[in-house]
Amino acid sequence: MIYKGMQLHNVEALEQIEGIPGVVLHRFPADVRNSLGTDKEQRGRYISAYSTGCEIRFVTSSNIVRITLSAPIEDGDIVVYNGDFVHSVHRLTAGRMHTLQLESNPRFHEVNWDKIETGRFAHNVWRIFVSRHYVTGPGFQLAFHHLETFGHGHRPPHTHEVPTKRLIAYGSSITHGSGAMVNHNSYIQQAARRLGVDVLNKGMGGSCFCEPAMADFLAGHTEWDIATLELGVNMRELFTLEQFSSLARALIDRMSADRSKPVFLITIYPNSADYFLNGTAPVFEANQQFIRAIQDIHREFNRPNLHLIEGSDLLNDFHALASDLIHPSDYGHMLIGERLAARMSHLI
């Protein structure tokens, strides 16, 4: 999306909220957000409103910029990049407007970029990346207010200044980045960095339910070249095996219909349910059944662009989890990201 001379990446809609200045960045359009969940569980309707994974991107000749942002509801962190280079991290306090004064490093003008410009992004692309709520979970809402470039003007990045391929990632809070201290340590971002691709992160913490509205949105999205679908962990205690299999099959069928686009299915990552003292507990059984369901769907479709990756192959160190024994730690996310990129690299 182009807005006021900037590229809003992974942003599907902007919303003006009464009483709150600026525009809130959304990863999903309102009709999708308001269709998510079940009669009893509608957590997805507010999780889908998180801006985490959205970016504001622009190029300017000004060495100093000021950007005014706010977090209307929850505190959260912003990570600023020059291209792939981390510039700074800023914490936004809920309910306050924050003006960040950002200055490009003078060393950027002292090196020969023709010899070293091998990153995903050109070094002159400012990237204002929405990271995570630093205490309670993976996301928070961000509102944009103003960009000041002191008379130099600004523009969206050109196509050669950003990655040529885009990876769309749908899954649980693990896909969205929970457990990582900053979102760029999440496994999807780690894998994308190694693969040289951009990320459209559509993770849904605690609410990855494969709803028809979500399937319609993801399959109808035109801007992705590769997809990862991490399915099952959020549905194992709320849906029957038959319900999960039906919803997952419909989503996978839609996403893999275009044989030119690789789609990677990721089964449930190892977690506490795999090691319950009582091995017959319902969640232990659901864990195993839902993994087998994804394996069965993969075999059933037998499509050349549809690839199966076992979560246990990517995360084979149980101590790489955070203490909740479900989300990977930073180490776990990096382990998954490195292995996922290795598995994907020869297939894309």
Side-chain angles (χ1 to χ4, degrees), residues 14-47:
L14 299 174
E15 181 181 13
Q16 290 187 307
I17 301 174
E18 185 176 356
I20 298 176
V23 289
V24 175
L25 280 57
H26 284 291
R27 299 178 299 137
F28 300 93
D31 60 338
V32 175
R33 299 196 308 269
N34 295 333
S35 300
L36 298 180
T38 67
D39 291 341
K40 294 182 178 180
E41 176 53 74
Q42 297 188 351
R43 173 183 172 90
R45 298 196 180 194
Y46 72 84
I47 295 296

Side-chain angles (χ1 to χ4, degrees), residues 193-270:
R193 182 71 179 264
R194 289 163 171 79
L195 293 168
V197 301
D198 219 339
V199 176
L200 299 167
N201 194 322
K202 306 300 182 182
M204 291 288 296
S207 52
C208 175
F209 291 170
C210 304
E211 300 97 333
M214 182 62 76
D216 289 343
F217 168 76
L218 294 173
H221 204 292
T222 60
E223 296 183 355
W224 63 272
D225 305 283
I226 313 151
T228 59
L229 304 175
E230 174 246 329
L231 308 176
V233 69
N234 290 157
M235 300 178 72
R236 62 187 181 175
E237 296 182 84
L238 297 172
F239 294 78
T240 67
L241 176 61
E242 291 73 22
Q243 289 171 328
F244 169 68
S245 296
S246 176
L247 290 166
R249 180 180 289 104
L251 170 65
I252 294 166
D253 187 21
R254 297 283 305 281
M255 292 294 286
S256 60
D258 184 343
R259 303 299 198 271
S260 69
K261 293 185 175 185
V263 176
F264 295 85
L265 306 179
I266 303 173
T267 61
I268 297 174
Y269 291 114

Side-chain angles (χ1 to χ4, degrees), residues 63 85 103-113 116 123:
N63 290 328
F85 299 91
E103 185 170 354
S104 60
N105 196 297
R107 290 188 176 89
F108 272 53
H109 305 289
E110 299 171 355
V111 298
N112 185 344
W113 288 105
I116 59 177
H123 71 279

